[in-house]
Amino acid sequence: MRTISVEKLFKDTNIDLDLSFFSGKSGKTRQITTSRIQKSGLVFAGIFRSFHPDRIQIAGEAEMIFFESLDARKGREVLEKLCGSGLPCIIFAGGVTPPHGLKSMSAKVRLPVLLSGYDTSTLIEKIIGYLSLELSERTTVHGVLMDIYGVGVLITGSSGIGKSECALDLICKGHRFVADDAIEIEKRGHNTLLGRGGDVIKHYMEIRGLGIINIRDLFGLSSIIEEKQVDLVIELEEWDSNKKYDRTGIPERSFKLLNVKLPSILFPVSPARDLSTLVEVGVRNYLLKQTGVDSAVEFSSKQRDAIAKRRLKYRKKKEK
């Protein structure tokens, strides 16, 4: 599970949250584990039934109105429960002043309490967007990622199978290169995967016998794209004469990555096969299926109809 510290949230220059520490700065190493936040209206009213201590708590003017309606004893109980819950931090939005007594309590338990000049709704929107990216699931996959006819194609297979050579041929045919070797895959939402190359290997490709080449420098800016959604996986494997390979395309294969099921095509590799052309046709067929046209299913249906007609014709002939 990915986490980030309160300190990173506070310091990250990629997002402007207009934050400052009110108290508990010594607890800045506390970890944020979820992109979900909680607007603490009920909590500051003394109701903890739906309280989620793993979430950042956001408080604004409404929360302070609720809190000020409590008597001193109840107010102190609320603050003690908040400070002892182990939550990552509390952020007071809209320039409101935190409750009296929170400063000393939070400092004692090292609970970060921050202030933001942004109003509550703007702050929530900014934090959720930022945390969704920072806490998204990620992995690294060995292969080549290409943009072929607008489809993000991840080409995988064992080392030396010919992935990079196939990709280079596709680039020569006008398709766009994303990354080679170590592909960084990031999950967005429930079923969207984005792939990109790392900062060091970006734009570079290794071709055995040729060495390291820079695709951008060799083929120009139109030959590359920085990141691409992964839509289709093409798996390459050594041809095995003892293995029975699918010859119809029914049923469809799939490839699971970060718990997202992606359509997949398996190509056995042999010296006589033109891999780049096979990949292009595979992508075209994938696009055709997206429109509801499945050649394999269509052929199978026609074959069944032809067999049924022949049987009927034979039966009628036999009855005569």
Side-chain angles (χ1 to χ4, degrees):
M1 182 175 63
R2 292 178 60 82
T3 67
I4 69 164
S5 66
V6 174
E7 182 178 27
K8 178 172 171 57
L9 178 72
F10 177 74
K11 287 185 173 180
D12 201 328
T13 56
N14 291 320
I15 183 170
D16 171 27
L17 298 175
D18 189 23
L19 294 176
S20 60
F21 270 97
F22 174 74
S23 63
K25 193 171 183 178
S26 58
K28 62 187 178 182
T29 56
R30 288 198 185 200
Q31 298 298 302
I32 301 165
T33 60
T34 175
S35 60
R36 302 185 70 180
I37 59 92
Q38 182 162 28
K39 194 172 184 303
S40 309
L42 290 176
V43 173
F44 276 88
I47 302 169
F48 281 80
R49 282 197 298 272
S50 58
F51 175 59
H52 298 276
D54 60 328
R55 302 180 189 177
I56 293 175
Q57 303 293 312
I58 304 290
E61 188 177 349
E63 283 69 28
M64 288 309 301
I65 291 172
F66 288 140
F67 183 78
E68 287 166 2
S69 68
L70 304 175
D71 60 47
R73 183 185 60 81
K74 183 64 176 177
R76 185 172 182 81
E77 286 178 5
V78 168
L79 296 183
E80 286 176 347
K81 197 165 184 178
L82 263 176
C83 290
S85 64
L87 55 86
C89 65
I90 306 173
I91 303 177
F92 286 86
V96 301
T97 303
H100 177 71
L102 180 59
K103 191 167 193 172
S104 58
M105 281 188 201
S106 59
K108 193 178 293 184
V109 297
R110 302 174 66 190
L111 167 66
V113 178
L114 300 102
L115 308 177
S116 173
Y118 283 110
D119 62 81
T120 305
S121 58
T122 301
L123 184 64
I124 289 172
E125 184 181 344
K126 281 174 169 281
I127 290 177
I128 290 176
Y130 171 77
L131 292 179
S132 295
L133 292 178
E134 287 295 320
L135 300 178
S136 59
E137 292 181 71
R138 299 177 190 183
T139 189
T140 301
V141 177
H142 182 66
V144 185
L145 183 59
M146 297 288 299
D147 177 354
I148 305 171
Y149 301 128
V151 177
V153 181
L154 176 63
I155 303 173
T156 68
S158 58
S159 181
I161 195 72
K163 299 182 295 296
S164 297
E165 289 80 359
C166 174
L168 184 58
D169 206 7
L170 288 163
I171 293 165
C172 290
K173 291 180 176 184
H175 302 292
R176 295 195 292 175
F177 171 75
V178 185
D180 179 42
D181 191 27
I183 316 298
E184 296 180 0
I185 305 291
E186 180 182 312
K187 187 175 182 180
R188 298 275 183 90
H190 294 295
N191 56 5
T192 300
L193 300 178
L194 286 182
R196 65 177 70 86
D199 291 337
V200 175
I201 66 168
K202 188 164 58 175
H203 307 150
Y204 290 96
M205 179 183 283
E206 180 195 350
I207 302 293
R208 283 174 173 80
L210 191 58
I212 305 296
I213 59 174
N214 187 310
I215 300 300
R216 183 187 59 186
D217 292 348
L218 280 171
F219 296 93
L221 284 171
S222 62
S223 66
I224 62 166
I225 182 171
E226 296 298 322
E227 68 176 20
K228 182 69 180 174
Q229 179 175 323
V230 183
D231 304 302
L232 175 67
V233 177
I234 290 184
E235 302 172 76
L236 306 181
E237 72 170 31
E238 291 283 356
W239 185 288
D240 183 353
S241 57
N242 297 315
K243 185 174 179 179
K244 222 173 187 179
Y245 291 104
D246 178 44
R247 300 181 66 176
T248 64
I250 305 173
E252 293 184 348
R253 291 174 56 86
S254 64
F255 186 98
K256 208 167 189 182
L257 189 57
L258 291 177
N259 285 321
V260 176
K261 193 180 283 188
L262 297 166
S264 170
I265 304 170
L266 173 66
F267 284 137
V269 176
S270 68
R273 308 198 93 191
D274 183 349
L275 279 180
S276 65
T277 299
L278 287 173
V279 170
E280 282 185 316
V281 174
V283 174
R284 284 178 181 272
N285 198 44
Y286 164 80
L287 288 169
L288 196 60
K289 287 180 180 180
Q290 303 311 298
T291 68
V293 180
D294 191 321
S295 301
V297 172
E298 200 175 82
F299 173 78
S300 180
S301 177
K302 286 182 177 180
Q303 191 179 45
R304 282 197 304 269
D305 290 345
I307 292 170
K309 283 178 184 178
R310 284 182 189 175
R311 284 177 177 169
L312 182 60
K313 189 177 180 180
Y314 176 78
R315 196 180 298 118
K316 285 180 179 179
K317 189 177 180 180
K318 197 173 182 182
E319 287 173 355
K320 288 181 181 179

